[in-house]
Amino acid sequence: MKRFAAFVTGAAMIATQPVFAQMGAPGERTPTMPAVAGPLAAKYKADADRIVQAAMADDEGYADLAYLTDHIGKRVSGSPQLNTAVEWGAELMKKAGLQNVQIQPVMVPHWVRGNESATITFKGEAGEITKPLHMLGLGMSVGTPKEGITAPVVFVHDFAELDALADSAVKGKIVVFNPGWHGYGVGSMYRTGGPSRAAAKGAAAVLVRSATGLAMQIPHTGTLRYDEKQPKVPSAAISVEDALLIERLAKEGPVTVHLQMDAHMEADVKAGNVIGEIVGSEHPEQVVVLGGHIDSWDVGQGAQDDGSGIMATFEAVSLLHKLGLKPKRTIRIVFWVNEENGGAGGRAYREWIGDKIGNQVAAIEMDGGAEKPLGIGYGGFGGPRRPAPPAPGAAVAPAAGRGAGFDVSSLSADEKQSFVYLQDIVSLLGSIGTDSVSPGGGGSDIGPITADGVPALSPHTVGDHYFDWHHTEADTLDKVDPDSFKKNTAMLSVVAYVLADMDGKLAGRKSTFRE
């Protein structure tokens, strides 16, 4: 997963003044609205009960996830494993009986990690230290010269400390960022924007503390974004422990790092979005789309990020077909490609939709792991989950939680009604504990269409461990709890079915899309 921003300023809680609970990842404030049963619950109770019962008894979705992770494995864009997964995904949809199964061709970047290593050397009054660092090159990084780079370290906590340094204090050195843990939005900001900020001052390379709160010597990769106006410098993530070690040693005396990275770009490779449908019985041109991204990073198995997302959404749609439920509108499942280091799949899907964007009734993306679900998130209300890097000299504020800035005064009548609809729908899910609605939902794959006003949704989970595992070697099948996976599947299936069959529609807002 890479975080995105397709957002609007302000939104609000509905006029019925629901009770708010504070849920979400540790340190984040996430307002949630409780279920309120209404006419949709009365109409769809029998169908929803059947869906939930089938989902909680289903083992096929998790078995498919096991095959994807154990037998295909990591599937970074440009790799043979990704194209194997794409072909497998299409066959899976065909075997499930879905209609209009196709692979939409998409050209994706091909970044290759190669061999890499980093070693720290320290000489001080207390003695000498030489040890390898736990590191992972950042996605899309350039490599070092073949012999590597050996240079003194400049340690900073944040951009403000970097900006305060003279260019001469940074030139030719390796900048190490350790902003601490203030949520993924802040952590990933240093990963994506730190290399070019340091390069602007003449840095030779950059090391960034991994964007996680878990200290277990596990480095986290993720994409960076070079400013084309600045030199491209080799950049890698290091473990929390190693970042803290460098911080301590830098207070005692000079620290030197040797960094070697073979990372490089190769020619783009043809891959594709995998698409299948249950065609609507009355309004086939109107579409509720749901899915996740089929690519992963080149470490681990891509289990939570985002194997769990594509398999839970797929099984949600497959169950509807198995149960013979055919909604009025079309339900479309998409496995988007190249979410992690380019977003080519989401953009290609938007181009494919073209001027029929008005027929996209709702878009649901699952890209936050299959942890215990609490309910559904709706709309890009509040700030983005990964803010833009601040301008030089500007302070960095801790990231706000999902739904931060949720303003009661700014909802339109249609948005208020949309929350009423969703509170009604999730009342059908009380038996599995997913009967809440929260402001804030979406994802980077659906960002290009939700920016054009398509209503955005995504599961809201407890978020206890997702950022501990994703983008690491530890993102493996064992991190996905089967019961939580089934509950996510059940919730997605019920929500997608009712949205595709009910008479009303959710409201969306046009917004500014920024990957």
Side-chain angles (χ1 to χ4, degrees), residues 357-400:
I357 188 68
N359 285 332
Q360 299 285 298
V361 174
I364 308 170
E365 181 167 350
M366 182 171 173
D367 188 17
E371 294 188 270
K372 179 183 177 182
L374 302 172
I376 199 76
Y378 161 57
F381 305 131
R385 296 159 97 177
R386 186 183 67 210
V396 179

Side-chain angles (χ1 to χ4, degrees), residues 167 239 256 296 384 418-419:
D167 289 0
S239 69
T256 299
S296 75
S418 295
F419 275 108

Side-chain angles (χ1 to χ4, degrees), residues 5-237:
F7 58 95
V8 292
T9 56
M13 122 178 100
I14 64 174
T16 52
Q17 295 295 318
V19 176
F20 279 73
Q22 299 303 328
M23 298 180 181
E28 294 186 350
R29 293 168 56 85
T30 302
T32 60
M33 303 174 182
V36 179
L40 294 176
K43 179 178 180 180
Y44 291 104
K45 186 179 188 311
D47 288 338
D49 287 348
R50 289 178 64 206
I51 294 170
V52 171
Q53 182 178 10
M56 296 309 295
D58 178 77
D59 293 319
E60 291 186 14
Y62 197 87
D64 289 334
L65 175 61
Y67 183 87
L68 174 68
T69 56
D70 290 344
H71 296 275
I72 298 177
K74 54 194 175 187
R75 36 199 189 278
V76 69
S77 288
S79 68
Q81 291 88 349
L82 175 60
N83 284 345
T84 296
V86 167
E87 296 290 342
W88 171 80
E91 288 302 311
L92 197 66
M93 292 185 190
K94 291 175 182 178
K95 289 178 181 178
L98 301 187
Q99 298 166 276
N100 301 325
V101 176
Q102 61 179 296
I103 297 173
Q104 178 196 9
V106 181
M107 296 301 293
V108 300
H110 186 194
W111 176 78
V112 178
R113 177 179 302 279
N115 295 322
E116 57 184 17
S117 64
T119 303
I120 183 174
T121 301
F122 171 79
K123 295 180 180 181
E125 293 182 2
E128 297 185 6
I129 297 173
T130 299
K131 70 179 291 291
L133 295 174
H134 300 80
M135 60 84 75
L136 271 177
L138 296 180
M140 312 303 275
S141 176
V142 298
T144 65
K146 186 176 181 180
E147 68 276 10
I149 294 172
T150 302
V153 159
V154 174
F155 175 87
V156 295
H157 290 98
D158 51 33
F159 290 136
E161 289 186 9
L162 177 68
D163 293 340
L165 295 173
D167 289 0
S168 59
V170 178
K171 186 175 182 180
K173 298 179 181 179
I174 297 176
V175 171
V176 177
F177 288 103
N178 181 12
W181 178 242
H182 303 287
Y184 187 71
V186 170
S188 63
M189 182 168 57
Y190 284 89
R191 184 192 75 213
T192 56
S196 289
R197 287 286 287 267
K201 284 184 165 289
V206 169
L207 299 176
V208 183
R209 168 184 163 144
S210 291
T212 179
L214 181 68
M216 290 187 67
Q217 292 289 24
I218 300 174
H220 294 226
T221 191
T223 198
L224 60 76
R225 288 183 178 81
Y226 285 122
D227 181 344
E228 294 302 323
K229 298 177 182 178
Q230 305 299 338
K232 295 181 180 181
V233 297
S235 303

Side-chain angles (χ1 to χ4, degrees), residues 378-427:
Y378 161 57
F381 305 131
R385 296 159 97 177
R386 186 183 67 210
V396 179
R402 175 177 181 166
F406 192 56
D407 179 8
V408 68
S409 67
S410 64
L411 268 188
S412 69
D414 287 343
E415 288 166 341
K416 292 176 183 178
Q417 182 58 54
S418 295
F419 275 108
V420 171
Y421 284 147
L422 288 169
Q423 287 181 284
D424 196 351
I425 293 170
V426 298
S427 72

Side-chain angles (χ1 to χ4, degrees), residues 254-334:
V255 177
T256 299
V257 165
H258 176 75
L259 178 67
Q260 191 279 324
M261 297 171 60
D262 290 340
H264 64 279
M265 297 295 300
E266 297 189 0
D268 288 358
V269 174
K270 183 178 179 180
N273 293 330
V274 189
I275 302 171
E277 297 177 338
I278 296 176
V279 176
S281 60
E282 295 184 17
H283 303 289
E285 76 286 356
Q286 296 181 15
V287 177
V288 172
V289 62
L290 69 162
H293 63 88
I294 194 168
D295 64 303
S296 75
W297 279 111
D298 59 332
V299 290
Q301 295 181 322
Q304 286 283 29
D305 188 14
D306 188 29
S308 65
I310 60 172
M311 289 298 96
T313 51
F314 164 74
E315 198 61 17
V317 176
S318 180
L319 284 172
L320 296 177
H321 178 71
K322 292 175 186 177
L323 294 171
L325 294 169
K326 196 172 181 67
K328 297 174 184 176
R329 302 181 179 100
T330 293
I331 294 180
R332 177 179 294 154
I333 176 74
V334 181

